[in-house]
Amino acid sequence: MVRQILKDSLKRGAVQVVRRPMYVLMIIIMPLLCCFALINMLSKGTIQRVPVGIVDLDNSDVSRRLQRNLGAFQQVDIRENFTSFADARDAVQRGRVLGFFYIPQDFQAELMAGRQPKVSYYINYAYYAPGSMQYKGFKTISIMAGGAVVQTALRTVGLRDEQITPQLLPYANYVHMPGNPWINYNYYLNASFVPCFLSLFILMVTAFALGTELKSGLSRQWLHTAGDNIFIAVCTKLLPHTILFTVVGWAIQWLMYVVYEFPLHCSPLVMILSMPLLVIANQAFAVMAFCVVPNFRFGTTVVTLLGMLSFSFCGFSLPSESLYPWIAPIGYLMPIKYYFMISCDQALNGIPLYFSRYYFAALIAFVLLPLPLLWRLKREASNPVYIP
């Protein structure tokens, strides 16, 4: 009897996945497409040749030298020279350039007189990574402007370049980055962004699958097929999703660690086993959230919002150390945080597996979260009342 119930319930869940193009799109196509787009965008290691503009109201030797030095940076590409601040701002608003460097009038004269003229740079930070590249290039050039003036002044008093250099640069910097010695933004950004996108799709699809049963009025049939056991109903409905998401996750890992050669300083089996844990933990988190808010529109909205906030709360778009003290701990409520810690400890740093045991335990613990609340979902499924 139990075997037949499991068979019928699994068949119903699998048939729904096959019959609804939405599942194929959100489980297979979109995660792989997002993964390929993000990784391929940074396949050269960093974003290069960001389109920028320059406003040079001085047109002096120093300002033209600044333009040439700025154009030599790989990060930026000077597309346009504007004659006014208004024209440059309009170009940024229209998307023709992503920022511009502003040199005021009498820049060289005030610089040589020691009156500290101000250069400005305006950056569209709606695009975080290109904006960071612009900021790095603009700031470096603005610092070099002062050094160029000092160099010119020292040359006029007869000092040679080998005497000037130690005064401008008294010591040399050697940067050592054990976790990312290649200074590759693909490894730095996409090691967190790609799994977080996958987690977002898992959360949305899980909430959509549960909400559709209530919205369509088929929740009684769903429960009846599972023998009125809400635990069996949820598990058999989500099992096809679990299998597909896990396979997609393994495909993403293969693309990252094999094709694009992301750092993998641990046994591949560690990351392979962590992927189904990530999938199941996110599904359990979505089920718990839907039990708290058992409504199609509200439930999917809450789950999607939490998934989007994971990018910030978990320290992917902004370091956890820079977050407010009361916001940083929220990231530990999301499953993707623990997968990311496993990825850092194992794939990136290759430390012994023993030190990541708490992160694996946390992912497993997420499975237990919805169990005390399944009765709420069963109550709503037994008496579905759709609230638009």
Side-chain angles (χ1 to χ4, degrees):
M1 182 65 179
V2 176
R3 180 181 298 179
Q4 187 63 38
I5 289 175
L6 291 174
K7 181 179 178 181
D8 293 341
S9 191
L10 276 173
K11 180 180 178 181
R12 184 178 184 275
V15 168
Q16 286 184 338
V17 172
V18 174
R19 287 183 176 178
R20 284 183 174 269
M22 177 65 71
Y23 286 123
V24 178
L25 177 67
M26 298 296 289
I27 296 177
I28 300 176
I29 298 177
M30 289 303 297
L32 291 176
L33 186 63
C34 288
C35 170
F36 180 78
L38 286 171
I39 295 179
N40 189 64
M41 180 176 65
L42 295 174
S43 59
K44 295 182 179 179
T46 182
I47 296 176
Q48 299 182 358
R49 313 306 294 170
V50 178
V52 300
I54 191 165
V55 180
D56 185 2
L57 302 182
D58 190 42
N59 288 318
S60 62
D61 292 338
V62 174
S63 67
R64 285 191 290 270
R65 190 187 310 165
L66 283 180
Q67 291 189 49
R68 290 193 298 268
N69 291 335
L70 182 61
F73 275 81
Q74 284 187 326
Q75 290 90 347
V76 297
D77 179 20
I78 301 178
R79 295 285 182 87
E80 297 189 48
N81 284 272
F82 302 103
T83 57
S84 68
F85 175 86
D87 292 341
R89 183 180 61 181
D90 182 69
V92 172
Q93 292 174 343
R94 293 178 181 273
R96 286 158 45 195
V97 294
L98 297 182
F100 61 91
F101 193 85
Y102 182 85
I103 302 175
Q105 289 182 342
D106 300 324
F107 172 73
Q108 179 176 329
E110 294 189 6
L111 194 64
M112 300 303 293
R115 288 194 287 267
Q116 293 185 328
K118 294 181 180 180
V119 295
S120 307
Y121 33 92
Y122 299 82
I123 300 168
N124 183 1
Y125 257 113
Y127 307 95
Y128 181 76
S132 299
M133 293 297 102
Q134 294 177 72
Y135 178 78
K136 181 179 179 180
F138 288 167
K139 185 176 182 180
T140 302
I141 287 299
S142 62
I143 294 175
M144 288 173 60
V149 174
V150 175
Q151 185 182 44
T152 302
L154 292 177
R155 280 175 177 170
T156 58
V157 298
L159 294 180
R160 297 188 300 273
D161 288 343
E162 56 268 22
Q163 295 173 304
I164 296 174
T165 301
Q167 298 185 44
L168 296 179
L169 190 64
Y171 58 88
N173 291 325
Y174 292 94
V175 180
H176 300 276
M177 304 177 65
N180 187 5
W182 312 271
I183 316 180
N184 191 313
Y185 277 78
N186 208 8
Y187 305 158
Y188 169 68
L189 293 175
N190 287 327
S192 58
F193 279 5
V194 170
C196 198
F197 268 110
L198 178 63
S199 296
L200 177 61
F201 285 115
I202 296 171
L203 294 172
M204 290 192 300
V205 169
T206 303
F208 175 81
L210 297 177
T212 302
E213 296 288 356
L214 300 179
K215 179 182 178 181
S216 62
L218 298 175
S219 56
R220 288 197 185 97
Q221 178 188 345
W222 174 43
L223 270 179
H224 178 72
T225 306
D228 288 328
N229 188 316
I230 188 62
F231 180 77
I232 294 178
V234 171
C235 290
T236 53
K237 183 174 185 62
L238 298 182
L239 183 58
H241 303 175
T242 305
I243 296 173
L244 290 176
F245 270 124
T246 301
V247 173
V248 170
W250 285 338
I252 290 174
Q253 288 181 334
W254 174 81
L255 189 66
M256 292 171 59
Y257 297 121
V258 178
V259 177
Y260 285 93
E261 299 180 341
F262 276 50
L264 183 62
H265 298 144
C266 65
S267 171
L269 189 62
V270 174
M271 299 309 299
I272 290 174
L273 292 178
S274 65
M275 181 53 66
L277 290 179
L278 174 67
V279 173
I280 297 173
N282 276 286
Q283 288 179 317
F285 184 86
V287 172
M288 180 196 67
F290 203 86
C291 289
V292 175
V293 190
N295 175 271
F296 178 78
R297 182 161 61 92
F298 295 146
T300 52
T301 300
V302 168
V303 168
T304 303
L305 179 61
L306 291 174
M308 291 299 298
L309 291 177
S310 298
F311 287 90
S312 299
F313 289 166
C314 295
F316 301 156
S317 58
L318 189 68
S320 298
E321 294 79 6
S322 300
L323 298 175
Y324 290 114
W326 60 272
I327 289 182
I330 299 178
Y332 289 93
L333 301 178
M334 304 300 296
I336 185 60
K337 177 72 173 184
Y338 300 97
Y339 177 85
F340 177 64
M341 298 301 292
I342 293 172
S343 176
C344 289
D345 285 353
Q346 300 302 313
L348 193 60
N349 296 320
I351 67 175
L353 187 61
Y354 173 82
F355 295 101
S356 301
R357 64 191 185 279
Y358 293 117
Y359 305 138
F360 283 98
L363 289 178
I364 297 173
F366 273 100
V367 180
L368 305 176
L369 291 180
L371 296 182
L373 299 173
L374 285 178
W375 64 271
R376 286 178 55 85
L377 183 59
K378 183 177 182 179
R379 185 183 64 184
E380 294 295 328
S382 301
N383 302 283
V385 178
Y386 176 62
I387 302 176

